[in-house]
């Protein structure tokens, strides 16, 4: 990795911020403002649903390295959390009054967005980020890099017996019509869908030209981020198995700048191909985001995560699986969901073993399903995982590496 330049400045954060949650009313979360590299959990629940008695946003993280910011996934509710975590008011004084000044540009230091896969609980707020974030300064006058999956070229197998219509992204911009658009086509279509808003904001309010700012790169595009040597994309003309959609591979580079290097591997989100896990390496340490995955990735996640400081991994409560799907068989209406849960995700019964095999120091639970699962139920994971276990909450911050100004100091355990 190229040398990392520390800016000596960190992104502003609200100190001692309090928030309530269903299981922790008025609870105070630990802060990590004295670290150069800080991981902020923006959204910590999963599933394309709203869980009752749950105020968690959907899957999203932000990684700050000095004054540079990187966003991983943007599930629904994530942009509000992004503003809560980083948006600091610019206030004016008029006598004894404090009045909001110009709108803030708190996203000016966002350099790149990474999408693990194209499910709504990981990108439901992507359109909001593009729209509202443009006025909040993302890219800082430079291109904003967006990295995500390309088109997979085929629909999933119809496991539910669905007999309805198939939605298709229409042809245009040099792309054929497709029912499975990738990140680039999805972004183009979002800009078209909100064209009136974007055009109004550009002419009325000074919004930037998004067609010039956004630099969308698909993993697997030979002109952008090619697949690693020797990898052959699965044939869309025949049925796929996990061996096709998540074959064993070594981590490969997808992004690098003067603050960090990002590598990726395929993980096993069943038929939802491609689905990626990302590793972010800075001078302070390594952070891995699993994305959505079953427990067996043919060793890919283990190769990516080995030696990392933090692994943020999805989890589904085993007790919920056993209770909610008791007696469900192939003839039951709930079978398709049960089958998806069992094949495309990782239960709390399996996660400790998976994390231990990754040889990471800290396991952070996120994409928690159901979102209202009491944290104490996940403590059983410690039976198989010897490291530090953190049950993630929205707006929780985790410092990476040694605290600033304390050479040789140990990291805080909280």
């Amino acid at each position: 990795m190229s040398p990392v330049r520390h800016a000596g400045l960190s992104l502003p954060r609200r100190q001692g911020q309090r928030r309530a949650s269903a299981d922790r009313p008025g609870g105070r979360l630990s802060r990590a403002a004295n670290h150069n590299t800080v991981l902020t959990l923006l959204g910590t629940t999963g599933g394309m649903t709203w869980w009752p008695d749950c105020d968690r946003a959907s899957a999203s993280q932000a990684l700050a390295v000095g004054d540079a910011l990187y966003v991983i996934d943007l599930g629904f509710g994530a942009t509000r959390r992004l503003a809560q975590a980083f948006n600091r008011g610019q206030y004016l004084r008029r006598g004894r009054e404090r009045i909001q000044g110009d709108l803030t540009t708190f996203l000016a230091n966002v350099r790149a967005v990474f999408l693990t896969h194209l499910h709504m609980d990981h990108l439901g707020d992507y359109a909001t980020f593009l729209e509202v974030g443009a006025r909040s300064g993302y890219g800082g006058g430079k291109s904003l890099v967006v990295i995500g999956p390309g088109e997979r070229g085929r629909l999933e197998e119809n496991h539910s017996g669905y007999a309805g219509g198939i939605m298709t992204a229409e042809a245009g911009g040099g792309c054929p019509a497709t029912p499975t658009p990738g990140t680039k086509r999805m972004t183009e279509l979002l800009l078209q869908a909100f064209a009136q808003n974007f055009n109004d904001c550009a002419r009325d309010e000074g919004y930037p030209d998004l067609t010039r700012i956004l630099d969308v790169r698909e993993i697997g595009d030979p002109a952008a981020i090619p697949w690693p040597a020797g990898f052959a994309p699965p044939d869309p003309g025949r049925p796929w198995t996990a061996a096709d959609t998540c074959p064993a591979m070594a981590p490969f580079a997808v992004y690098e700048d003067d603050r960090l290097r990002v590598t990726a591997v395929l993980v096993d989100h069943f038929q939802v191909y491609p689905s990626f896990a990302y590793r972010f390496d800075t001078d302070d340490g390594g952070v891995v985001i699993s994305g959505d995955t079953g427990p067996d990735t043919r060793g890919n996640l283990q190769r990516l995560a080995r030696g990392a400081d933090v692994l943020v991994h999805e989890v589904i409560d085993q007790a919920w699986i056993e209770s909610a799907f008791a007696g469900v068989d192939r003839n039951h209406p709930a079978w398709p969901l049960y089958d998806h849960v069992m094949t495309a995700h990782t239960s709390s019964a399996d996660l400790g073993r998976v994390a231990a095999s990754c040889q990471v120091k800290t396991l952070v639970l996120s994409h928690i399903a159901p979102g209202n699962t009491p944290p104490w139920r996940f403590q059983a994971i410690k039976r198989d995982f010897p490291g530090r276990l953190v049950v993630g909450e929205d707006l929780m911050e985790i410092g990476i590496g040694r605290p600033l100004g304390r050479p040789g100091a140990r990291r805080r355990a909280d």
Side-chain angles (χ1 to χ4, degrees):
M1 183 177 72
S2 60
V4 175
R5 185 181 69 247
H6 295 300
L9 298 170
S10 61
L11 291 161
R13 293 178 178 81
R14 185 170 298 147
Q15 299 301 309
Q17 179 178 344
R18 298 176 64 91
R19 65 171 290 271
S21 64
D23 57 88
R24 195 174 183 175
R28 185 181 296 275
L29 300 177
S30 63
R31 313 309 287 169
N34 60 335
H35 287 76
N36 181 67
T37 297
V38 179
L39 175 69
T40 301
L41 306 180
L42 300 176
T44 54
T45 192
M48 289 178 278
T49 186
W50 292 281
W51 301 104
D53 303 316
C54 171
D55 66 352
R56 298 177 184 270
S58 290
S60 182
Q61 297 85 198
L63 185 68
V65 187
D67 61 354
L69 190 62
Y70 308 84
V71 177
I72 307 96
D73 285 337
L74 282 160
F76 39 90
T79 51
R80 180 169 178 264
R81 295 290 191 234
L82 188 63
Q84 286 177 293
F86 298 103
N87 191 13
R88 301 295 162 259
Q90 307 295 322
Y91 294 101
L92 306 175
R93 303 297 303 188
R94 188 176 70 178
R96 296 184 177 181
E97 293 182 302
R98 188 180 71 161
I99 300 173
Q100 173 67 45
D102 190 12
L103 298 179
T104 62
T105 56
F106 75 101
L107 297 181
N109 292 328
V110 176
R111 296 191 180 187
V113 174
F114 300 85
L115 300 177
T116 59
H117 65 289
L118 303 184
H119 269 167
M120 288 296 290
D121 55 332
H122 293 255
L123 55 76
D125 264 20
Y126 181 50
T128 302
F129 177 84
L130 294 180
E131 289 191 81
V132 183
R135 181 57 179 83
S136 298
Y138 60 59
K142 302 177 181 179
S143 294
L144 174 71
V145 175
V146 178
I147 293 175
E151 181 188 351
R152 70 172 179 258
R154 60 162 289 164
L155 290 169
E156 291 191 352
E157 297 293 326
N158 191 357
H159 287 186
S160 68
Y162 176 72
I166 297 298
M167 300 179 188
T168 301
E170 297 301 321
C175 299
T178 175
T180 55
T183 304
K184 193 166 187 176
R185 183 76 173 127
M186 176 185 69
T187 304
E188 292 171 350
L189 291 170
L190 284 174
L191 297 184
Q192 292 176 30
F194 293 99
Q196 178 172 254
N197 178 78
F198 288 131
N199 293 333
D200 287 350
C201 289
R203 288 174 173 254
D204 278 356
E205 303 174 34
Y207 273 52
D209 182 353
L210 295 189
T211 63
R212 296 184 178 182
I213 287 180
L214 298 177
D215 178 8
V216 183
R217 308 174 188 175
E218 291 182 341
I219 298 175
D221 178 357
I225 307 172
W227 289 112
F231 175 79
D235 181 358
R238 63 179 181 82
W240 287 347
T241 67
D244 297 309
T245 59
C246 181
M249 61 166 47
F252 61 99
V254 298
Y255 176 88
E256 185 170 2
D257 64 17
D258 62 337
R259 302 300 173 85
L260 51 64
R261 183 173 187 262
V262 185
T263 49
V265 292
L266 285 167
V267 289
D268 187 11
H269 197 25
F270 196 38
Q271 297 192 82
V272 187
Y273 164 88
S275 295
F276 295 103
Y278 294 108
R279 175 166 178 154
F280 301 82
D281 281 301
T282 77
D283 275 0
D284 302 303
V287 175
V288 175
I289 310 294
S290 77
D292 283 6
T293 180
D296 181 6
T297 62
R298 265 57 69 187
N300 290 351
L301 186 64
Q302 286 76 7
R303 282 183 284 272
L304 183 74
R306 187 161 295 129
D309 292 80
V310 172
L311 168 63
V312 180
H313 201 289
E314 68 134 273
V315 65
I316 295 188
D317 178 27
Q318 179 67 26
W320 174 70
I321 296 173
E322 295 172 356
S323 300
F325 297 102
V328 170
D329 59 22
R330 290 184 178 273
N331 298 316
H332 195 283
W335 173 262
L337 177 59
Y338 173 69
D339 188 47
H340 174 79
V341 166
M342 296 303 294
T343 55
H345 294 283
T346 304
S347 74
S348 54
D350 291 327
L351 182 52
R353 171 182 54 80
V354 171
S357 67
C358 288
Q359 301 180 32
V360 294
K361 301 172 184 176
T362 298
L363 170 63
V364 177
L365 307 185
S366 191
H367 192 277
I368 295 169
N372 53 26
T373 303
W376 62 263
R377 203 140 70 212
F378 293 122
Q379 295 306 308
I381 293 173
K382 290 183 177 179
R383 290 197 296 260
D384 298 315
F385 177 66
R388 173 188 176 205
L389 176 67
V390 176
V391 181
E393 292 190 41
D394 290 13
L395 300 178
M396 179 181 285
E397 292 183 350
I398 300 166
I400 309 300
R402 295 188 179 92
L404 295 172
R406 295 173 58 192
R410 297 176 61 187
R411 286 186 298 163
R412 295 185 341 196
D414 61 347

